[in-house]
Each structure stands twice: as structure tokens, then as C-alpha cells.
Amino acid sequence: MTNVRVQVAGHGRHIDEAATIWAETTAARDGDDEVAPLSLARPVIQAVVDSSPRSLLFVALGADDRIVGFAAVEPVPADESTAEVRYLGVHPGSWGQGVGRRLMSALPDRLPAAGFAQAELAVYVDNRRAVKLYEGLGWLPYGEATPHPRSGRLEQRYRLAL
């Protein structure tokens, strides 16, 4: 998808689109037949956006200006110089078209302007596509993989110096 551009959403904008993509993405990733309704998905994204005045919602827009992906980022409370990518989602219809790469490639250019010196994220170790993307962009694993508190699936933390 060569015509994708990434921008920071204005305050309170595009949360519903991001939440809908998150619900569709996680259902597709996990092989679930049911997609969570917006009433359950929206609070997940809204919580990140509302967690700090420095939180950012990056959106990837396709050629038709439709949102095809997003990244929700917030400062780590214990270290405000570190941004945590809490959620990254690409609409399943856009998988394999470079949207996630575009989003993740935009972060090192834009996060330092928001006062961040490094970024972190967690990813399920069995999410091979995501792991390959992050490692290919220079993210480095740190610490041991640990079970996610709700799903029990192993998660690995990654860092990227900005």
C-alpha cells in the first residue's frame, strides 16, 4: 500500500475507527468468529489516549483517506522519557500491504519531538508477523518472555532507542 500516510490524530479524533480496527484485528489474529462491539473496544483505546496529555494516536490513512491502521502510544508512568506503544492495529483487509511498517517507521521520527528518548512495546511471542516487523525495524527484545495476565500467552518486551 504505497499511498499510505501516517499522521497524529487530533485530540479525541479517530478513536472509534481505531477501536473498530483493534476489535477486527484481534479477532482475525486470534481466529475468533466474534468481533468485539465498539462499546467494548472503544474504552481500550480511549484509556490510552486519556492517560496523559503526551499520549498520541497515530493513524494510517489510505489513498481514499480511510483509516487502515493505528498506533496508540502513551508515556511509561515510571519513566516519562519512554513511550509505550500500547496498541498497534491494521485492518485485516490491509494486512501484508506495509501499513504496520509505515506506522512503526513513523514513530522514531515523531516521538522525539514529543520528548521521548526511547520506546517500548510488548508482543505475543506467537505473533510471528508482528515479531518479524519489530525486529526488522531494529526493536530489541529485553527481559524474559512472561505470561500475559489475562490470556496466559507468552509476551516479550521490546525497546527501541530513539
Side-chain angles (χ1 to χ4, degrees), residues 82 104 108 118-123 125 130-145 155-162:
T82 300
M104 295 305 291
Q118 69 177 353
E120 294 183 359
L121 57 80
V123 61
V125 298
V131 169
K132 182 179 176 183
L133 170 66
Y134 303 143
E135 290 179 352
L137 292 172
W139 290 75
L140 300 173
Y142 74 94
E144 297 296 320
E155 259 186 334
Q156 178 65 56
R157 305 261 331 144
Y158 280 79
R159 281 190 181 143
L160 180 70
L162 304 172

Side-chain angles (χ1 to χ4, degrees), residues 36-131:
L38 183 59
S39 62
L40 294 177
R42 188 179 210 286
V44 171
I45 305 304
Q46 188 74 56
V48 174
V49 171
D50 290 347
S51 70
S52 167
R54 294 179 58 218
S55 293
L56 299 165
L57 180 64
F58 292 87
V59 292
L61 296 112
D64 60 359
D65 285 336
R66 210 179 80 248
I67 295 174
V68 293
F70 77 95
V73 178
E74 67 184 349
V76 171
D79 177 7
E80 296 255 332
S81 70
T82 300
E84 181 167 6
V85 180
R86 289 290 310 272
Y87 300 103
L88 171 70
V90 174
H91 187 279
S94 297
W95 285 0
Q97 298 179 29
V99 176
R101 180 169 297 282
R102 278 281 172 84
L103 279 161
M104 295 305 291
S105 295
L107 298 183
D109 294 334
R110 297 185 181 174
L111 290 176
F116 297 109
Q118 69 177 353
E120 294 183 359
L121 57 80
V123 61
Y124 288 133
V125 298
D126 62 359
N127 187 347
R128 299 279 182 228
R129 261 193 3 253
V131 169

